[in-house]
Amino acid sequence: MVKKSITLNNGERITYQLDCRARRTVGLKITEDGLIVHAPKFILEAQLKKLIKEKSNWISNKLAAREANAITPMTWQDGETLQLLGSGITLYVEENARNKQPQFNHDSLTIATPAPDNHELIQRKVIQWYKKQALLDFGRRLALFAAKLNVPTPPLKLSNARTRWGSCSSRGDIRMNWRLLQAPPHLINYVICHELAHLKEMNHSTKFWAIVASLYPDYKAAEKDLKHIGTTLYRI
Ligand SMILES: [Zn+2]
């Protein structure tokens, strides 16, 4: 096997392992080590590169999925890193005679409790804190963009959905997945603008996307980023 690298059609540069042997076709496989290309012994480099590039989307998606699966699970212990608005913050767990409110300080969140080894309790406390912050943070953004769209600020609820970041009901209330608080602010803004636009258009028509664009011009890039980051937000 030889290590090689290639730039895919979407501009992503990846490395792969090339395994040349007596075979007639080129086969691509994604393993724990990344992309492995099995190719005939005497294939021309240019031809091989062309074949790999043709599969750019497939490779890119498979590698992203592999990355997502490789996320280390949270253990809810002292020193873990949490994500907040796109930045890493450290979770500190302190033993204390009393249960105290979680303390947030720039780049850390401290949980003081008589039971620092009770990981379920730590998890519950951290998630409670995230939900509380999510309501405040999303609420502010919602009011801002609702004003921009010239509509009254709709009621905001949090969701725990497995597959969606936001939704807008026919009654006009907006649900936002609290896990999105981990994402960079521009992605939260995008999801909010998307749901607000549904107040005017309950579909994904051209008209709908024009409203989204009036609130959030670079929505295509945001959609892409969100797909990329998506699964990592389910770490907690
Ligand atoms: Zn939608």
Side-chain angles (χ1 to χ4, degrees), residues 99-158:
N99 270 307
K100 288 209 267 178
Q101 287 294 323
Q103 293 291 320
F104 175 65
N105 190 357
H106 298 300
D107 53 5
S108 68
L109 183 69
T110 304
I111 306 285
T113 167
D117 294 325
N118 186 340
H119 302 315
E120 260 171 49
L121 175 93
I122 309 297
Q123 175 176 21
R124 214 164 46 235
K125 280 177 170 284
V126 170
I127 288 176
Q128 250 171 28
W129 184 83
Y130 266 80
K131 287 182 174 169
K132 210 166 139 187
Q133 303 310 310
L135 265 183
L136 291 172
D137 181 280
F138 300 167
R140 274 195 296 266
R141 293 174 201 273
L142 191 63
L144 217 83
F145 285 108
K148 210 170 158 186
L149 189 62
N150 224 348
V151 295
T153 306
L156 169 68
K157 287 183 183 140
L158 293 181

Coordinates of all heavy atoms in Angstrom, one line a residue, residues 99-158:
N99 N -25.2 21.4 46.6 CA -25.4 21.5 45.1 C -25.5 23.0 44.8 O -26.3 23.7 45.4 CB -26.7 20.8 44.7 CG -26.5 19.4 44.4 OD1 -25.6 19.1 43.5 ND2 -27.3 18.5 45.0
K100 N -24.7 23.5 43.9 CA -24.7 24.9 43.5 C -25.2 25.0 42.1 O -25.1 24.1 41.3 CB -23.4 25.5 43.7 CG -23.0 25.7 45.2 CD -22.1 26.9 45.4 CE -20.6 26.5 45.4 NZ -19.7 27.6 45.5
Q101 N -25.6 26.2 41.8 CA -26.0 26.5 40.4 C -24.7 26.4 39.5 O -23.6 26.8 40.0 CB -26.5 28.0 40.2 CG -27.9 28.2 40.8 CD -29.0 27.4 40.0 OE1 -28.9 27.3 38.8 NE2 -29.9 26.9 40.7
P102 N -24.8 25.9 38.3 CA -23.6 25.8 37.4 C -23.1 27.2 37.2 O -23.8 28.2 37.1 CB -24.2 25.3 36.1 CG -25.4 24.5 36.5 CD -26.0 25.3 37.7
Q103 N -21.8 27.4 37.3 CA -21.1 28.6 37.1 C -20.4 28.7 35.8 O -19.5 27.9 35.5 CB -20.0 28.8 38.2 CG -20.6 29.0 39.6 CD -21.3 30.3 39.8 OE1 -20.9 31.3 39.3 NE2 -22.5 30.3 40.4
F104 N -20.8 29.6 34.9 CA -20.1 29.8 33.6 C -19.2 31.0 33.7 O -19.5 32.0 34.3 CB -21.2 30.1 32.5 CG -20.6 30.4 31.2 CD1 -19.8 29.4 30.6 CD2 -20.7 31.6 30.6 CE1 -19.2 29.6 29.3 CE2 -20.1 31.9 29.4 CZ -19.4 30.9 28.8
N105 N -18.0 30.7 33.2 CA -17.0 31.8 33.2 C -16.1 31.7 32.0 O -15.2 31.0 31.8 CB -16.1 31.5 34.5 CG -15.2 32.7 34.7 OD1 -15.2 33.7 34.0 ND2 -14.4 32.6 35.8
H106 N -16.4 32.6 31.0 CA -15.7 32.7 29.7 C -15.6 31.3 29.0 O -16.2 31.1 28.0 CB -14.3 33.2 29.9 CG -14.3 34.6 30.4 ND1 -14.9 35.7 29.7 CD2 -13.8 35.1 31.5 CE1 -14.8 36.8 30.4 NE2 -14.1 36.5 31.5
D107 N -14.7 30.5 29.5 CA -14.4 29.3 28.8 C -14.5 28.0 29.6 O -13.9 27.0 29.3 CB -12.9 29.4 28.2 CG -11.9 29.7 29.2 OD1 -12.3 29.8 30.4 OD2 -10.7 29.9 28.9
S108 N -15.3 28.2 30.7 CA -15.5 27.0 31.5 C -16.9 27.0 32.2 O -17.5 28.0 32.3 CB -14.4 26.9 32.6 OG -14.6 27.9 33.5
L109 N -17.3 25.8 32.5 CA -18.6 25.6 33.2 C -18.3 24.7 34.4 O -17.8 23.6 34.2 CB -19.6 24.9 32.3 CG -21.0 24.8 32.9 CD1 -21.7 26.1 33.0 CD2 -21.9 23.9 32.0
T110 N -18.6 25.3 35.6 CA -18.3 24.5 36.8 C -19.5 24.0 37.5 O -20.5 24.8 37.7 CB -17.5 25.4 37.8 OG1 -16.3 25.9 37.1 CG2 -17.0 24.6 39.0
I111 N -19.5 22.7 37.7 CA -20.6 22.1 38.4 C -20.1 21.7 39.8 O -19.2 20.9 39.9 CB -21.1 20.8 37.7 CG1 -21.5 21.1 36.3 CG2 -22.3 20.2 38.5 CD1 -22.8 21.8 36.0
A112 N -20.7 22.3 40.9 CA -20.3 21.9 42.2 C -21.4 21.1 42.8 O -22.5 21.4 42.8 CB -20.0 23.1 43.0
T113 N -21.0 19.9 43.3 CA -22.0 18.9 43.9 C -21.4 18.0 44.9 O -20.2 17.7 44.8 CB -22.6 18.1 42.7 OG1 -23.3 17.0 43.2 CG2 -21.5 17.6 41.8
P114 N -22.2 17.5 45.8 CA -21.7 16.6 46.8 C -21.4 15.2 46.1 O -20.7 14.4 46.7 CB -22.8 16.4 47.8 CG -23.8 17.5 47.5 CD -23.6 17.9 46.1
A115 N -21.9 15.0 44.9 CA -21.7 13.7 44.2 C -20.9 13.9 42.9 O -21.5 13.7 41.8 CB -23.0 13.0 44.0
P116 N -19.6 14.3 42.9 CA -18.9 14.5 41.7 C -18.8 13.3 40.8 O -18.4 13.4 39.6 CB -17.6 15.1 42.1 CG -17.4 14.6 43.5 CD -18.8 14.4 44.1
D117 N -18.9 12.1 41.3 CA -18.8 10.9 40.5 C -20.1 10.4 39.9 O -20.1 9.4 39.2 CB -18.2 9.8 41.4 CG -16.7 10.1 41.8 OD1 -16.0 10.8 41.0 OD2 -16.3 9.8 42.9
N118 N -21.2 11.1 40.2 CA -22.4 10.8 39.7 C -22.6 11.4 38.3 O -23.1 12.5 38.1 CB -23.6 11.2 40.6 CG -24.9 10.8 40.2 OD1 -25.1 10.4 39.0 ND2 -25.9 10.8 41.1
H119 N -22.1 10.7 37.3 CA -22.1 11.2 35.9 C -23.4 11.6 35.4 O -23.6 12.5 34.6 CB -21.3 10.3 35.0 CG -19.9 9.9 35.5 ND1 -19.1 10.9 35.9 CD2 -19.3 8.8 35.6 CE1 -17.9 10.4 36.3 NE2 -18.0 9.1 36.1
E120 N -24.4 10.8 35.8 CA -25.8 11.1 35.3 C -26.3 12.4 35.8 O -26.9 13.2 35.1 CB -26.8 10.0 35.7 CG -27.1 9.0 34.6 CD -27.9 7.8 35.2 OE1 -28.9 8.0 35.9 OE2 -27.4 6.7 34.9
L121 N -26.0 12.7 37.1 CA -26.3 13.9 37.7 C -25.6 15.1 37.0 O -26.2 16.1 36.7 CB -26.0 13.9 39.2 CG -26.2 15.2 40.0 CD1 -27.6 15.2 40.6 CD2 -25.1 15.4 41.0
I122 N -24.3 14.9 36.7 CA -23.6 16.0 36.0 C -24.2 16.2 34.7 O -24.4 17.4 34.3 CB -22.1 15.5 35.8 CG1 -21.5 15.1 37.2 CG2 -21.3 16.7 35.2 CD1 -21.4 16.1 38.2
Q123 N -24.5 15.2 34.0 CA -25.1 15.3 32.6 C -26.4 16.1 32.7 O -26.6 17.0 31.9 CB -25.4 13.9 32.1 CG -26.1 13.9 30.7 CD -26.3 12.5 30.1 OE1 -26.2 11.5 30.8 NE2 -26.5 12.5 28.9
R124 N -27.2 15.7 33.7 CA -28.5 16.4 33.8 C -28.4 17.9 34.1 O -29.0 18.7 33.5 CB -29.3 15.7 35.0 CG -30.8 15.7 34.8 CD -31.5 14.7 35.7 NE -31.1 14.8 37.0 CZ -30.7 13.8 37.8 NH1 -30.6 12.6 37.2 NH2 -30.4 13.9 39.0
K125 N -27.4 18.2 35.0 CA -27.2 19.6 35.4 C -26.7 20.4 34.2 O -27.1 21.5 33.9 CB -26.2 19.7 36.5 CG -26.8 19.4 37.9 CD -25.8 19.4 38.9 CE -26.4 19.4 40.3 NZ -26.9 20.7 40.7
V126 N -25.7 19.8 33.4 CA -25.2 20.5 32.3 C -26.3 20.7 31.2 O -26.4 21.8 30.7 CB -24.0 19.7 31.7 CG1 -23.6 20.3 30.3 CG2 -22.8 19.7 32.6
I127 N -27.0 19.7 31.0 CA -28.1 19.8 29.9 C -29.1 20.9 30.3 O -29.6 21.7 29.5 CB -28.6 18.5 29.5 CG1 -27.6 17.7 28.7 CG2 -29.9 18.6 28.7 CD1 -27.9 16.3 28.4
Q128 N -29.5 20.8 31.6 CA -30.4 21.9 32.1 C -29.9 23.3 31.9 O -30.6 24.2 31.4 CB -30.6 21.7 33.6 CG -31.9 21.2 34.1 CD -31.9 20.8 35.6 OE1 -31.1 21.4 36.3 NE2 -32.7 19.9 35.9
W129 N -28.6 23.4 32.1 CA -28.0 24.7 31.9 C -28.0 25.1 30.4 O -28.3 26.2 30.1 CB -26.5 24.7 32.4 CG -25.8 26.0 32.4 CD1 -25.9 27.0 33.3 CD2 -25.0 26.5 31.3 NE1 -25.2 28.1 32.8 CE2 -24.6 27.8 31.6 CE3 -24.5 25.9 30.1 CZ2 -23.7 28.5 30.8 CZ3 -23.7 26.7 29.3 CH2 -23.3 28.0 29.6
Y130 N -27.7 24.2 29.6 CA -27.7 24.4 28.1 C -29.1 24.8 27.7 O -29.3 25.8 26.9 CB -27.3 23.2 27.3 CG -25.8 23.2 27.0 CD1 -24.8 22.8 27.9 CD2 -25.3 23.6 25.7 CE1 -23.5 22.9 27.7 CE2 -24.0 23.7 25.5 CZ -23.1 23.3 26.4 OH -21.7 23.4 26.1
K131 N -30.1 24.2 28.2 CA -31.5 24.5 27.8 C -31.9 25.9 28.2 O -32.5 26.6 27.4 CB -32.5 23.5 28.4 CG -32.4 22.1 27.7 CD -33.4 21.2 28.2 CE -33.4 19.9 27.4 NZ -34.2 18.8 28.1
K132 N -31.5 26.3 29.4 CA -31.8 27.6 29.9 C -31.1 28.7 29.1 O -31.7 29.7 28.7 CB -31.3 27.7 31.4 CG -32.1 28.6 32.3 CD -31.7 28.3 33.7 CE -31.6 29.6 34.5 NZ -31.1 29.4 35.8
Q133 N -29.8 28.4 28.8 CA -29.1 29.4 28.0 C -29.6 29.4 26.5 O -29.7 30.5 25.9 CB -27.6 29.0 27.9 CG -26.9 28.9 29.2 CD -27.1 30.1 30.1 OE1 -27.0 31.3 29.6 NE2 -27.5 29.9 31.3
A134 N -30.0 28.3 26.0 CA -30.6 28.2 24.7 C -31.8 29.1 24.6 O -32.0 29.8 23.6 CB -30.9 26.8 24.3
L135 N -32.7 29.0 25.5 CA -33.9 29.8 25.5 C -33.6 31.3 25.5 O -34.2 32.1 24.7 CB -34.8 29.5 26.7 CG -35.9 28.5 26.6 CD1 -36.7 28.4 27.9 CD2 -36.8 28.8 25.4
L136 N -32.6 31.7 26.3 CA -32.2 33.1 26.3 C -31.6 33.5 25.0 O -31.9 34.5 24.4 CB -31.2 33.3 27.5 CG -31.7 33.2 28.9 CD1 -30.5 33.3 29.9 CD2 -32.7 34.3 29.2
D137 N -30.6 32.7 24.6 CA -29.8 33.1 23.4 C -30.7 33.1 22.1 O -30.7 34.0 21.3 CB -28.7 32.1 23.2 CG -27.8 32.4 22.0 OD1 -28.2 32.0 20.9 OD2 -26.7 33.0 22.2
F138 N -31.4 32.0 21.9 CA -32.3 31.9 20.7 C -33.4 33.0 20.8 O -33.8 33.5 19.8 CB -33.0 30.5 20.6 CG -32.0 29.3 20.6 CD1 -32.5 28.0 20.7 CD2 -30.6 29.5 20.3 CE1 -31.6 26.9 20.7 CE2 -29.8 28.4 20.2 CZ -30.3 27.1 20.4
G139 N -33.9 33.2 22.0 CA -35.0 34.2 22.1 C -34.5 35.6 21.7 O -35.2 36.3 20.9
R140 N -33.3 36.0 22.0 CA -32.7 37.3 21.6 C -32.6 37.3 20.1 O -33.0 38.3 19.5 CB -31.4 37.5 22.2 CG -31.4 38.1 23.6 CD -30.0 38.6 24.0 NE -29.1 37.5 24.1 CZ -28.8 36.9 25.3 NH1 -29.4 37.2 26.4 NH2 -27.9 36.0 25.3
R141 N -32.1 36.2 19.5 CA -31.9 36.2 18.1 C -33.2 36.3 17.3 O -33.4 36.9 16.3 CB -31.1 35.0 17.6 CG -29.7 35.0 18.1 CD -29.0 33.6 17.8 NE -27.9 33.4 18.7 CZ -26.6 33.9 18.5 NH1 -26.4 34.6 17.4 NH2 -25.7 33.7 19.3
L142 N -34.2 35.5 17.9 CA -35.5 35.4 17.3 C -36.1 36.8 17.2 O -36.7 37.2 16.2 CB -36.4 34.5 18.1 CG -37.7 34.0 17.4 CD1 -37.4 33.3 16.1 CD2 -38.5 33.2 18.4
A143 N -36.0 37.6 18.3 CA -36.6 38.9 18.4 C -36.0 39.8 17.3 O -36.7 40.6 16.6 CB -36.5 39.5 19.8
L144 N -34.7 39.7 17.2 CA -33.9 40.5 16.3 C -34.3 40.3 14.9 O -34.6 41.2 14.1 CB -32.4 40.1 16.5 CG -31.4 41.2 16.4 CD1 -31.3 41.9 17.7 CD2 -30.1 40.7 16.0
F145 N -34.4 39.0 14.5 CA -34.7 38.7 13.1 C -36.2 38.9 12.8 O -36.6 39.2 11.7 CB -34.2 37.3 12.7 CG -32.7 37.2 12.5 CD1 -31.9 36.6 13.4 CD2 -32.1 37.8 11.4 CE1 -30.5 36.6 13.3 CE2 -30.8 37.8 11.2 CZ -29.9 37.1 12.1
A146 N -37.0 38.7 13.8 CA -38.5 38.9 13.6 C -38.7 40.4 13.3 O -39.5 40.7 12.4 CB -39.3 38.5 14.8
A147 N -38.0 41.2 14.0 CA -38.1 42.7 13.7 C -37.6 43.0 12.3 O -38.2 43.8 11.6 CB -37.2 43.5 14.7
K148 N -36.6 42.3 11.9 CA -36.0 42.5 10.5 C -37.1 42.1 9.5 O -37.2 42.7 8.4 CB -34.8 41.7 10.4 CG -33.7 42.3 9.4 CD -32.4 41.5 9.5 CE -31.6 41.7 8.2 NZ -30.4 40.9 8.2
L149 N -37.8 41.0 9.8 CA -38.8 40.5 8.9 C -40.1 41.2 9.0 O -41.1 41.0 8.2 CB -39.0 39.0 9.1 CG -39.9 38.2 8.2 CD1 -39.2 38.2 6.8 CD2 -40.1 36.8 8.7
N150 N -40.2 42.1 10.0 CA -41.4 42.9 10.3 C -42.6 42.0 10.7 O -43.7 42.3 10.2 CB -41.7 43.7 9.0 CG -42.1 45.1 9.3 OD1 -42.4 45.4 10.5 ND2 -42.2 45.9 8.3
V151 N -42.3 41.1 11.5 CA -43.4 40.3 12.1 C -43.3 40.3 13.6 O -42.1 40.5 14.1 CB -43.4 38.8 11.6 CG1 -43.6 38.7 10.1 CG2 -42.1 38.1 12.0
P152 N -44.3 40.1 14.4 CA -44.2 40.0 15.8 C -43.4 38.8 16.2 O -43.4 37.8 15.5 CB -45.6 39.8 16.4 CG -46.5 39.9 15.2 CD -45.7 39.9 13.9
T153 N -42.6 38.9 17.3 CA -41.7 37.8 17.7 C -42.6 36.6 18.1 O -43.5 36.7 18.9 CB -40.9 38.2 18.9 OG1 -40.2 39.3 18.6 CG2 -39.9 37.1 19.3
P154 N -42.5 35.5 17.4 CA -43.3 34.3 17.7 C -42.9 33.6 18.9 O -41.8 33.8 19.4 CB -43.1 33.4 16.4 CG -41.7 33.8 16.0 CD -41.5 35.2 16.3
P155 N -43.8 32.8 19.5 CA -43.4 32.1 20.7 C -42.3 31.1 20.4 O -42.3 30.5 19.3 CB -44.7 31.3 21.1 CG -45.8 31.9 20.3 CD -45.2 32.5 19.1
L156 N -41.4 30.9 21.3 CA -40.2 30.0 21.1 C -40.3 28.9 22.1 O -40.6 29.0 23.3 CB -38.9 30.8 21.4 CG -37.6 30.0 21.5 CD1 -37.3 29.4 20.1 CD2 -36.5 30.9 21.9
K157 N -40.1 27.7 21.6 CA -40.0 26.5 22.4 C -38.8 25.7 22.1 O -38.2 25.9 21.0 CB -41.2 25.6 22.2 CG -42.5 26.2 22.9 CD -43.7 25.2 22.7 CE -44.9 25.9 23.3 NZ -46.1 25.7 22.5
L158 N -38.3 24.9 23.0 CA -37.1 24.1 22.7 C -37.5 22.7 22.3 O -38.6 22.2 22.8 CB -36.2 24.0 24.0 CG -35.6 25.3 24.4 CD1 -34.7 25.0 25.6 CD2 -34.7 25.9 23.3

